């Protein structure tokens, strides 16, 4: 019999990678299969799509925590997971013979979940390592139901115990996972323990270095979700590309016998579709739908959709729209669209820390609206799903990215398996969101054949998993000498839309020199996925003085002129909406641990450049802003 771990691997690793894995020395042979045993290579079998619309018991709130600086209670000396550590949630023996380890959650302080630990307790501000969470909860067993523990995100590796049983583990700090806990629960008082390890890893994604803060912890919502024995774990309902005269997709039902009826109803559109599951639990469907109001930034129409299968039923709010590339154009519902955007990190406005609430998200979307943006690049990792839900409602188009940032271990099959798992988790979570128009596989990666092969495979995988969206990546700016910059990165050929980051006038040249620079870029739609300069809000001076608002403004004036000469440009994403915490920004008084390229400071002060971009986005006068 195959172990559950192997079944999980088969679920999402493509055959080519599996063969590669088989060729590595660290693989474990299992019949004709072999796998490397690490959390990310055992992608969890279940990932509940549309989970935020299912009835759930929230486990958000205060959790006890204990810091485990050496990781001794989580890992054995040889690095295996210690099953008998704090996960058992034992208590010290005060009278009689000593037994067990020295810890006690019952009397430990608490942290708010969701929330990073760094900004909740000053002593944890710079902490990277293992931290244990614990909480009690009441639960009543429901006959004929199964229960999943849903974890919106835990950065970076996490390990789960319920009532002393080790349940699951996950690697990846920005995507959700669901673990079945049915067999571990009982009616009455239960407890869950989760160890989160935020240690950066040379073979992690991202790798050791990032220009953003490594906030650790249970950073997104945690809940218990009850579903019937056979349940819908995944579906995809989208507008038929090009013809736009119908809907197509599938509903996947776990543990349903072949032939299980599935219905998809959209009463407002007069649609009631029936289909039947195949042997794998998947029911494909296609239906004519001529009079749909299509989703767009101008009219972000969402339809209430009901899905029913066996005893399970759920609803979603879905927008239908077509997004595709033709020549050098990006077409939204068949019409060329220009992306007036900005980059946004998941840094909470005003309070800093990781975005984790409706309030944080509302503040970010307020700024986007104010800027007259119709597009946001959510850099550099999948963000809180509230972002996509809000964008669906507000009519903002989204670029969503997995955290492959600059250097990771491109030469290791085990790292490819992690990237592949993260890509699948991102797409699964958000393919029901009309706002997401681009999947990005990476940011600013080195141009060499190992990297190119790695990322090209991910692009193929993204297309295979979601044929309805273009795929992109943010490439490094060309840095050849001379005034004509030629983008030669071969990865561009594999992309539908090419993202180009450039910092002419900040990391090289002076702002006014930018106007002499010309770019040669592929005949594809180009998004300038980053360009920007630092300014400390309130710091004023002559325009050639770095870190002043005047310098930043001058940078954008010249850059828009330079960039607007590139005929293939189909969108702009200045770097970045708000100042954000970064471990690499260490100029006291000017940076103080913040990347200052925000158009807005971390505490909400708009800089001069914000108003400049606000105006040219309103007037559509990019490159002609004076
Ligand atoms: C980049 C990176 C981004 C950095 C930014 C900067 O090219 O993609 O993550 O934060 O430049 O400010 O240097």
């Amino acid at each position: 019999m195959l172990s559950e771990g192997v079944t999980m691997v088969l679920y999402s690793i493509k055959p080519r990678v599996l063969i590669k894995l088989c060729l590595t020395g660290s693989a474990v042979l299992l019949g004709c299969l072999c796998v490397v045993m690490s959390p990310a290579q055992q992608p969890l079998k279940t990932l509940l799509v549309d989970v935020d619309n299912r009835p759930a018991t929230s486990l958000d709130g205060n959790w006890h925590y204990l810091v485990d600086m050496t990781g001794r209670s989580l890992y054995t000396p040889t690095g295996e997971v210690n099953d008998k550590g704090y996960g058992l949630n034992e208590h010290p023996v005060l009278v009689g013979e000593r037994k067990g380890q020295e810890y006690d959650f019952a009397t430990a302080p608490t942290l708010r979940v969701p929330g990073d630990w760094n900004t909740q307790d000053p002593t944890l501000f710079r902490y990277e390592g293992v931290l244990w969470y614990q909480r009690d909860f009441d639960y009543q067993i429901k006959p004929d139901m199964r229960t999943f523990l849903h974890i919106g995100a835990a950065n970076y590796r996490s390990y789960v115990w319920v009532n002393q049983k080790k349940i699951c583990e996950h690697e990846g700090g920005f995507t959700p996972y669901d673990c079945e806990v049915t067999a571990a629960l009982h009616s009455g008082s239960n407890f869950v323990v989760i160890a989160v390890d935020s240690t950066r890893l040379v073979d992690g994604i991202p790798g050791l270095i990032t220009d953003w803060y490594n906030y650790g912890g249970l950073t997104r919502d945690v809940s218990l979700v009850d579903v019937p024995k056979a349940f819908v774990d995944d579906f995809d309902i989208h507008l038929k590309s090009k013809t736009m005269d119908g809907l197509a997709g599938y509903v996947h039902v776990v543990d349903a016998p072949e032939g299980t009826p599935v219905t998809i109803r959209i009463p407002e559109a007069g649609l009631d579709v029936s289909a039947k599951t195949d042997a794998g639990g998947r029911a494909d469907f296609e239906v004519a739908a001529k009079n749909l109001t299509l989703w767009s930034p101008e009219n972000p129409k969402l339809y209430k959709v009901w899905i029913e299968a066996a005893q399970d039923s759920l609803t979603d709010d879905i927008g239908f729209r077509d997004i595709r590339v033709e020549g050098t154009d990006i077409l939204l519902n068949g019409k060329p669209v220009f992306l007036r955007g900005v980059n946004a990190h998941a840094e909470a406005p005003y309070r800093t820390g990781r975005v984790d609430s409706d309030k944080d998200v509302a503040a970010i979307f307020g700024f986007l609206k104010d800027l007259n943006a119709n597009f946001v690049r959510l850099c550099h990792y999948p963000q809180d799903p509230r972002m996509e839900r809000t964008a669906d409602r507000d009519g903002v188009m989204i670029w969503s990215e997995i955290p492959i940032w600059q250097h990771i271990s491109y030469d290791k099959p085990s790292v490819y398996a992690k990237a592949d798992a993260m890509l699948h988790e991102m797409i699964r979570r958000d393919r029901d969101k009309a706002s997401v128009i681009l999947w990005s596989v990476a940011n600013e990666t080195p141009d060499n054949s190992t990297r190119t092969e790695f990322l090209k495979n991910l692009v193929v995988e993204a297309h295979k998993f979601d044929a309805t969206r273009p795929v992109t990546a943010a490439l490094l700016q060309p840095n050849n000498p001379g005034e004509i910059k030629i983008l030669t990165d071969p990865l561009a050929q594999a992309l539908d839309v090419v993202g180009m980051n450039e910092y002419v006038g900040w990391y090289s040249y002076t702002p006014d020199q930018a106007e002499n620079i010309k770019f040669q870029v592929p005949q594809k739609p180009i998004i300038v996925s980053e360009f920007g300069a630092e300014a400390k809000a309130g710091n004023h001076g002559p325009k050639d003085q770095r870190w002043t608002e005047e310098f930043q403004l001058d940078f954008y004036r010249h850059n828009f002129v330079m960039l607007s000469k590139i005929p293939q440009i189909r969108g702009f994403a200045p770097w970045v909406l708000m100042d954000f915490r970064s471990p690499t920004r260490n100029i006291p008084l000017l940076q103080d641990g913040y990347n200052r390229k925000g158009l807005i400071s971390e505490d909400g002060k708009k800089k001069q450049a914000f108003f400049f971009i606000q105006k040219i986005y309103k007037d559509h006068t990019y490159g002609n802003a004076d």
Side-chain angles (χ1 to χ4, degrees):
M1 197 186 91
L2 291 181
S3 75
E4 197 181 6
V6 172
T7 320
M8 287 170 175
V9 171
L10 291 176
Y11 169 73
S12 84
I13 297 184
K14 56 184 180 176
R16 194 150 27 118
V17 174
L18 205 56
I19 291 162
K20 277 193 192 169
L21 290 173
C22 290
L23 299 175
T24 65
S26 53
V28 175
L29 201 62
L30 229 158
C32 63
L33 299 166
C34 67
V35 286
V36 176
M37 307 305 279
S38 89
Q41 286 140 338
Q42 300 173 34
L44 295 152
K45 206 161 66 173
T46 307
L47 202 163
L48 293 167
V49 170
D50 190 31
V51 70
D52 50 346
N53 276 323
R54 282 189 178 271
T57 309
S58 174
L59 294 183
D60 291 351
N62 290 332
W63 290 54
H64 292 288
Y65 75 95
L66 293 168
V67 176
D68 184 6
M69 232 164 122
T70 60
R72 185 184 178 195
S73 295
L74 178 58
Y75 304 115
T76 65
T78 50
E80 311 296 311
V81 174
N82 171 12
D83 222 6
K84 305 273 176 281
Y86 292 2
L88 299 184
N89 187 23
E90 289 174 331
H91 305 285
V93 177
L94 299 181
V95 179
E97 201 181 335
R98 181 193 178 278
K99 154 166 130 219
Q101 299 174 56
E102 297 177 8
Y103 71 100
D104 195 5
F105 285 113
T107 48
T110 59
L111 284 172
R112 179 179 53 83
V113 173
D116 63 82
W117 64 58
N118 311 76
T119 56
Q120 294 194 55
D121 175 343
T123 67
L124 297 176
F125 181 62
R126 292 205 163 81
Y127 182 62
E128 291 184 310
V130 177
L131 186 144
W132 291 81
Y133 289 87
Q134 184 277 343
R135 72 162 282 169
D136 298 326
F137 60 92
D138 286 329
Y139 183 79
Q140 289 307 312
I141 295 280
K142 300 176 188 75
D144 297 325
M145 296 294 270
R146 296 163 73 166
T147 306
F148 285 85
L149 178 70
H150 173 78
I151 294 169
N155 189 33
Y156 170 75
R157 288 181 291 173
S158 49
Y159 308 82
V160 179
W161 285 259
V162 170
N163 295 334
Q164 299 196 317
K165 283 198 189 68
K166 170 92 188 306
I167 300 291
C168 61
E169 52 193 67
H170 181 261
E171 178 167 349
F174 302 99
T175 43
Y177 61 99
D178 298 282
C179 305
E180 181 155 14
V181 292
T182 316
L185 293 174
H186 47 249
S187 287
S189 181
N190 295 261
F191 63 83
V192 53
V193 176
I194 305 178
V196 182
D197 185 352
S198 71
T199 307
R200 286 166 292 113
L201 305 172
V202 74
D203 289 344
I205 303 177
L208 290 179
I209 298 168
T210 59
D211 186 21
W212 72 81
Y213 209 80
N214 184 29
Y215 292 118
L218 294 172
T219 54
R220 295 191 194 141
D221 297 326
V222 179
S223 58
L224 287 168
V225 184
D226 295 320
V227 294
K229 291 262 188 269
F231 61 95
V232 175
D233 67 330
D234 188 20
F235 61 80
D236 177 28
I237 304 175
H238 58 261
L239 192 68
K240 271 167 65 188
S241 189
K242 288 194 180 169
T243 56
M244 293 185 265
D245 59 356
L247 298 181
Y250 66 83
V251 175
H252 184 260
V253 193
V254 175
D255 291 340
E258 185 171 357
T260 299
V262 168
T263 57
I264 299 131
R265 289 186 297 113
I266 311 177
E268 199 186 338
L271 294 176
D272 192 337
V273 190
S274 302
K276 284 201 164 47
T277 56
D278 62 15
R282 181 176 159 126
D284 287 287
F285 74 93
E286 230 182 271
V287 62
K290 289 212 185 324
N291 297 317
L292 291 172
T293 302
L294 301 187
W295 184 98
S296 69
E298 297 72 37
N299 184 13
K301 169 74 189 158
L302 301 177
Y303 285 91
K304 181 69 81 190
V305 178
W306 268 263
I307 297 164
E308 275 142 30
Q311 304 304 309
D312 200 9
S313 70
L314 64 166
T315 66
D316 201 353
D317 299 292
I318 305 184
F320 301 109
R321 50 104 193 94
D322 182 56
I323 186 82
R324 73 197 137 96
V325 162
E326 216 170 77
T328 57
D329 279 331
I330 301 172
L331 303 181
L332 177 69
N333 301 329
K335 294 199 202 82
V337 66
F338 194 91
L339 309 175
R340 300 184 307 276
V342 71
N343 281 277
H345 260 296
E347 182 96 7
Y350 306 106
R351 66 176 177 86
T352 76
R354 189 64 84 226
V355 164
D356 58 31
S357 68
D358 291 337
K359 193 173 165 206
D360 297 336
V361 172
I364 292 173
F365 276 82
F367 291 141
L368 293 175
K369 189 159 183 237
D370 215 4
L371 191 66
N372 299 310
N374 64 4
F375 170 67
V376 62
R377 175 179 176 221
L378 298 184
C379 56
H380 285 297
Y381 36 77
Q383 300 194 5
D384 191 294
R386 290 175 174 86
M387 295 291 284
E388 282 81 3
R389 289 288 186 203
T390 308
D392 265 13
R393 288 192 299 269
D394 282 14
V396 175
M397 294 174 280
I398 285 182
W399 158 320
S400 182
E401 184 162 294
I402 51 172
I404 296 186
W405 190 87
Q406 299 190 350
H407 296 274
I408 62 160
S409 302
Y410 294 103
D411 56 336
K412 299 203 176 122
S414 59
V415 175
Y416 183 86
K418 295 179 194 188
D420 189 67
M422 290 180 194
L423 181 76
H424 279 84
E425 289 167 350
M426 170 177 77
I427 295 177
R428 252 183 98 130
R429 193 193 75 175
D430 285 336
R431 67 157 101 231
D432 60 338
K433 321 290 191 317
S435 54
V436 179
I437 58 159
L438 289 165
W439 300 126
S440 166
V441 295
N443 175 73
E444 289 193 344
T445 53
D447 177 357
N448 62 58
S449 57
T450 312
R451 177 284 331 225
T452 303
E453 162 84 0
F454 185 111
L455 292 182
K456 274 188 173 171
N457 285 339
L458 280 185
V459 173
V460 170
E461 198 53 39
H463 280 142
K464 220 178 342 159
F465 200 49
D466 178 5
T468 72
R469 285 175 175 88
V471 177
T472 190
L475 305 183
L476 279 162
Q477 79 176 60
N479 65 359
N480 57 288
E483 290 184 342
I484 301 185
K485 304 290 175 197
I486 309 169
L487 201 155
T488 54
D489 188 333
L491 181 61
Q493 297 318 317
L495 304 173
D496 304 301
V497 173
V498 177
M500 180 179 78
N501 295 356
E502 67 82 15
Y503 285 89
V504 173
W506 180 254
Y507 288 126
S508 55
Y509 301 94
T510 54
D512 56 322
Q513 286 172 329
E515 291 198 28
N516 303 324
I517 305 285
K518 295 190 179 52
F519 286 89
Q520 269 178 28
V521 291
Q523 283 302 315
K524 299 203 170 200
I526 308 288
I527 297 174
V528 187
S529 34
E530 287 181 28
F531 58 122
E534 297 210 6
K536 180 161 162 102
N539 185 29
H540 295 286
K543 65 180 184 194
D544 62 352
Q545 190 181 319
R546 287 172 174 261
W547 278 279
T548 61
E549 290 196 32
E550 287 74 8
F551 184 100
Q552 189 189 39
L553 173 64
D554 196 47
F555 169 93
Y556 278 115
R557 282 186 191 283
H558 292 295
N559 253 253
F560 272 106
V561 174
M562 170 184 78
L563 294 170
S564 297
K565 290 180 196 147
I566 306 175
Q568 300 94 310
I569 295 262
R570 295 297 173 266
F572 293 118
W575 185 261
V576 50
L577 182 65
M578 298 190 73
D579 292 351
F580 60 93
R581 275 214 176 96
S582 163
T584 67
R585 306 293 170 175
N586 288 321
I587 305 177
L589 303 179
L590 291 173
Q591 294 179 314
D592 296 314
Y594 283 87
N595 182 316
R596 294 277 178 215
K597 296 189 191 74
L599 303 176
I600 306 174
S601 67
E602 75 281 10
D603 55 353
K605 292 191 197 79
K606 290 174 178 145
K607 306 178 194 174
Q608 292 179 7
F610 179 94
F611 299 104
F612 171 74
I613 294 171
Q614 179 188 54
K615 181 166 185 330
I616 64 172
Y617 278 2
K618 176 159 184 278
D619 301 342
H620 298 220
T621 50
Y622 336 107
N624 189 18
D626 287 328

